[in-house]
Structure formats: structure tokens, C-alpha cells
Amino acid sequence: MALIVHKYGGTSMGSTERIRNVAKRVAKWVRAGHQMVVVPSAMSGETNRLLGLAKEVAPARHDEAVQRELDMLASTGEQVSVGLLALALHAEGIPAVSYAGWQVPIRTNNAYTKARIESIADERVRSDLAAGKVVIIAGFQGVDDDGHITTLGRGGSDTSAVAVAAALKAAECLIYTDVDGVYTTDPRVVPEARRLSTVSFEEMLEMASMGSKVLQIRSVEFAGKYQVPLRVLSSFTPWDIPIAEEAASGTLITFEEDEKMEQAVVSGIAFNRDEAKVSILGVPDRPGIAYQILGAVADANIEVDVIIQNVSHDGKTDFSFTVHRNEYARTVDVLKTKVVPTLGTDRIEGDTKICKVSIVGIGMRSHVGIASKMFRALSEEGINIQMISTSEIKTSVVIDEKYMELAVRALHKAFDLDLDQPAAAAGKS
């Protein structure tokens, strides 16, 4: 008997019929002798509906008090899902119990709308499992030290599931979604994209951080840190397929293998439309200027991505960075109120029509000329690069948003990702 965690996304929970299918699938695993913990998302579209209602009545300025209420509201979607799934399991003759995040409890910090998990108590869950029950835990949510409900940000149910799997030392965490695995890039942009049978935690982490929507980045961080075996697979396969076949499907996110490093140079192309660029022009070029600018942004709990400081001329320089597009207006407000008055310049420029495109692959460590090949492919399509960011296993560029799909297709072709790889290439087929 193994302890298994299943996570089901919003599309998988999108109707009562789909919820019944999830219950049948979970029941199949229970009847095969496994202890089961299930972490579902809200029904598809429900979180957007709730936040849409909030937008109609909430003040334009979102202070901490407003963000607390947004979490109180948004967390109700998952509470509906866990209750419905528990009822569906009872209809299958399977004992089940559902919990909201605060009932477990899943402890988080108090960063409303994007809280981070700090600890998970396992006593209540283990007691229910020992009693033969399926435990259903609301994803996406937790509770802070003051008893306030918090949410983990979009895609947070992935993080909930992996964190629960880590806390319970589960044998495996299966992420069921509306796609059948991780692809070399989004098949909606490049129809020739291939499903990867395996991908390393490092590669998946970079792909998630660069815009791949298959998994939330923090779920991959958790999985890598606590060595949680993680698999992404489709919930739209027939629920009654053999468990052995189901357990070997999708994409296994695994630990780096030396032989793979020499085989696959670039594993995938990630992209992110949700970027905005902010530039402060003519700032003094002196020690501490980056902290002076970005410290205030960080204090406002705004995440910064790509950063560039230009070469100094006459003691002045231009400083640019990117943030999530939803944070653009708040970032500019922070700069105008807390940074600009002390800099001696009020020249702020912004661009919300940009995107980020990245190539990712652990084989990039041992191959030269990968970045130049990327730049050449973009140049041949007439695409101008505005910013560049690199790590050991990825290179990212910021470009005009209107060229995003063209760039992705060009890079996918340039690195031969549309071609079948040899069998020796760590299962990339």
C-alpha cells in the first residue's frame, strides 16, 4: 500500500459530471490498495467569477485590508470543490472527508493573495487515512498565525498538493490537468510541439518561472527541495484505464541524469505575455542605487524579474526592470511616491506591450554558442531584443509582444524541437 496524492485542476473539476469521473478515478486507486489524499482546484472559471464580483464592489486601491477580503472570497471556490468531491466519493461507496486549508491546518505567512506555505500539520490527515478514508484538502489556501484565510496565488493548488505530498512523505504526487504532460512549448502556438516523457526538476523550474503554465513555479520548488516524485498527466483519459498504464503516462519530473545532459541541449521554449517593463531614466550612477530603487519595490511585495542597468554617461544611467503586468500600475506608483523624490529625476517610462521568451535545457551547460544561435534566429525574423537574462540552463529575451508567437515558432524550429529525438535522448519523444 502506498500513500498517493492526486491534484485535479479546475478543468478536471469543471462540472458535476467531471467531478463524478474524478471520484471514479480516485476510487479505482483506493480499491487497488492505496491511501489517497486529493487536492482539487475550484471549478473552472469560478475563481475568475468571484474576483470579477469583487472588482465590481472593491475600491480601486488594494491595501492589505482589501487583499484580506479578496482571499476570504477567492478561497470559497475550493471549498465547494472539496465538498462536491467528497459527496461523489460517498456515492461510489468510498469513505471520504473534506477539509479547508485552515482545518488541516496549512500554515502560511500573511502575504495575502500570494502567501507562502510555512508548515503543514499531518496528525488529522494521518488519522483519517488510518481509518480508511480518502482525505480531500482544499488547494490554493491556508491560514496565517492570526487565523486569517490566505491564498497562494494563481496555480496555488499545485503548490498545495506538492507541499502536502512532502509533509506526508507520499510515494508520488500526480498532477492531473487538461493536457497530457509537459511539451517542448505550447502546442497551441507550435502544433509540432512534442510531449516530453521526462524533464528534470531544474528544467521544469526554469520553464515554470519563464512562463510555462503547466505547473506553478513554487510547486516545482517544493518538489525539488523535498524530492517529491512528480508526474503531470491528463484527467481526460478514461477513468478505468489500468493503473499501471495511468501511472506511467504523462511527463515525469525527475532528478538530473548525467547522460541526459550530454544528449538534450534545449528541452523547451517557454514564454510569458504577462510582463511589463519599467525604466527610470537619468538616475545617479552611484553605489546603492539599485537597492534604493528595488528595495522600495520589494517592500511593496512586488516581484521583479529581468533587470538591466545601462552604461553610465556623465554620472547618469538608465535603470530598467520587468514586473508582472498586473503589478505595473502599483510599481509606478511606488516609484513616484517613494523613490523618484530622492533620485533627482522624475523620468519614468513604461511598456505593458512586451513579453518574455526563453530557451531552457540542462544541456546548455556543456554546449557553446546556444545564445548566439537564439539571437540569430530572432534576427532573421526581424525581431528586436530589448532585454536579455541568462542562467546556466536558460536564456531569456524581452521582446515586443506582437512578435511572441513568431519568436516561439522560430526558436522551436532553430533548435530542432519539432523533430523526433533518438531513443537515447532520455525519453524525449
Side-chain angles (χ1 to χ4, degrees):
M1 178 184 292
L3 197 166
I4 305 292
V5 175
H6 281 193
K7 183 267 176 180
Y8 291 92
T11 308
S12 309
M13 301 288 294
S15 66
T16 53
E17 180 59 33
R18 289 180 179 175
I19 290 171
R20 280 195 289 267
N21 284 334
V22 168
K24 290 178 185 299
R25 190 183 300 272
V26 172
K28 176 184 69 177
W29 284 74
V30 172
R31 290 171 182 137
H34 297 294
Q35 291 184 316
M36 297 298 299
V37 176
V38 185
V39 180
S41 297
M43 298 173 73
S44 60
E46 181 63 8
T47 303
N48 285 339
R49 185 186 73 84
L50 293 168
L51 294 179
L53 292 173
K55 192 173 183 180
E56 293 182 21
V57 299
R61 190 179 184 88
H62 286 189
D63 59 16
E64 184 174 296
V66 170
Q67 289 179 311
R68 179 199 182 277
E69 302 309 327
L70 290 175
D71 276 3
M72 176 67 78
L73 177 67
S75 65
T76 62
E78 279 69 22
Q79 189 167 331
V80 171
S81 289
V82 296
L84 287 172
L85 183 54
L87 291 170
L89 279 164
H90 283 297
E92 290 292 321
I94 301 295
V97 59
S98 66
Y99 292 119
W102 62 267
Q103 292 176 298
V104 174
I106 297 173
R107 296 283 181 189
T108 74
N109 63 12
N110 62 357
Y112 298 117
T113 74
K114 47 186 173 183
R116 289 185 174 271
I117 295 173
E118 294 182 342
S119 66
I120 298 178
D122 64 352
E123 295 85 358
R124 193 171 193 175
V125 175
R126 290 192 184 280
S127 175
D128 286 326
L129 291 172
K133 297 177 182 177
V134 173
V135 180
I136 308 166
I137 300 173
F140 178 60
Q141 61 180 250
V143 61
D144 69 13
D145 288 340
D146 295 321
H148 301 301
I149 291 175
T150 58
T151 67
L152 310 181
R154 285 307 178 97
S157 293
D158 289 345
T159 302
S160 300
V162 177
V164 166
L168 296 173
K169 295 181 172 55
E172 199 165 24
C173 181
L174 278 61
I175 307 289
Y176 289 87
T177 182
D178 54 354
V179 296
D180 62 350
V182 180
Y183 278 71
T184 50
T185 195
D186 190 334
R188 291 170 295 184
V189 175
V190 183
E192 299 80 13
R194 295 177 298 102
R195 181 175 61 83
L196 305 173
S197 59
T198 62
V199 64
S200 75
F201 277 105
E202 284 185 281
E203 288 171 320
M204 194 66 237
L205 188 62
E206 291 285 10
M207 290 169 75
S209 68
M210 294 302 112
S212 173
K213 299 298 191 293
V214 176
L215 288 172
Q216 191 201 45
I217 182 172
R218 276 186 282 166
S219 70
V220 186
E221 291 173 345
F222 257 105
K225 181 177 181 180
Y226 295 102
Q227 299 194 5
V228 177
L230 194 60
R231 184 176 294 272
V232 177
L233 64 170
S234 173
S235 63
F236 295 125
T237 55
W239 67 265
D240 56 352
I241 64 172
I243 282 185
E245 179 184 340
E246 186 174 341
S249 64
T251 299
L252 176 65
I253 301 169
T254 185
F255 294 96
E256 181 181 310
E257 300 170 4
D258 291 341
E259 63 268 20
K260 180 182 174 185
M261 287 179 59
E262 302 302 322
Q263 297 286 348
V265 180
V266 172
S267 294
I269 313 292
F271 56 86
N272 189 358
R273 291 184 176 93
D274 302 327
E275 297 270 325
K277 182 172 70 171
V278 182
S279 299
I280 308 179
L281 310 181
V283 301
D285 187 16
R286 62 171 184 254
I289 196 68
Y291 171 73
Q292 190 174 346
I293 295 170
L294 297 180
V297 175
D299 289 343
N301 204 24
I302 297 170
E303 294 182 11
V304 172
D305 188 8
V306 183
I307 304 169
I308 286 183
Q309 182 172 334
N310 292 339
V311 175
S312 174
H313 293 287
D314 301 322
K316 301 286 186 179
T317 187
D318 298 336
F319 192 92
S320 301
F321 58 94
T322 63
V323 296
H324 193 283
R325 196 171 293 178
N326 291 344
E327 301 279 24
Y328 171 74
R330 199 157 67 94
T331 303
V332 172
D333 183 55
V334 168
L335 293 176
K336 286 182 176 178
T337 58
K338 298 185 177 180
V339 177
V340 163
T342 66
L343 288 183
T345 179
D346 60 358
R347 297 167 61 199
I348 298 178
E349 292 184 355
D351 186 355
T352 58
K353 300 295 184 182
I354 62 166
C355 69
K356 182 173 62 178
V357 178
S358 311
I359 57 172
V360 178
I362 56 176
M364 292 170 63
R365 288 177 177 151
S366 53
H367 291 76
V368 297
I370 303 303
S372 63
K373 185 175 182 178
M374 178 188 195
F375 303 152
R376 183 175 69 246
L378 296 176
S379 173
E380 289 172 351
E381 297 293 343
I383 299 173
N384 183 51
I385 298 172
Q386 300 180 25
M387 306 171 81
I388 301 169
S389 173
T390 65
S391 77
E392 269 195 313
I393 66 169
K394 65 93 179 163
T395 299
S396 301
V397 295
V398 173
I399 61 175
D400 193 306
E401 183 183 26
K402 66 184 179 183
Y403 295 121
M404 189 200 75
E405 293 193 7
L406 176 61
V408 172
R409 288 193 294 268
L411 293 172
H412 200 270
K413 184 176 181 180
F415 288 99
D416 297 324
L417 293 176
D418 51 344
L419 302 178
D420 288 336
Q421 302 296 308
K428 291 211 178 299
S429 58

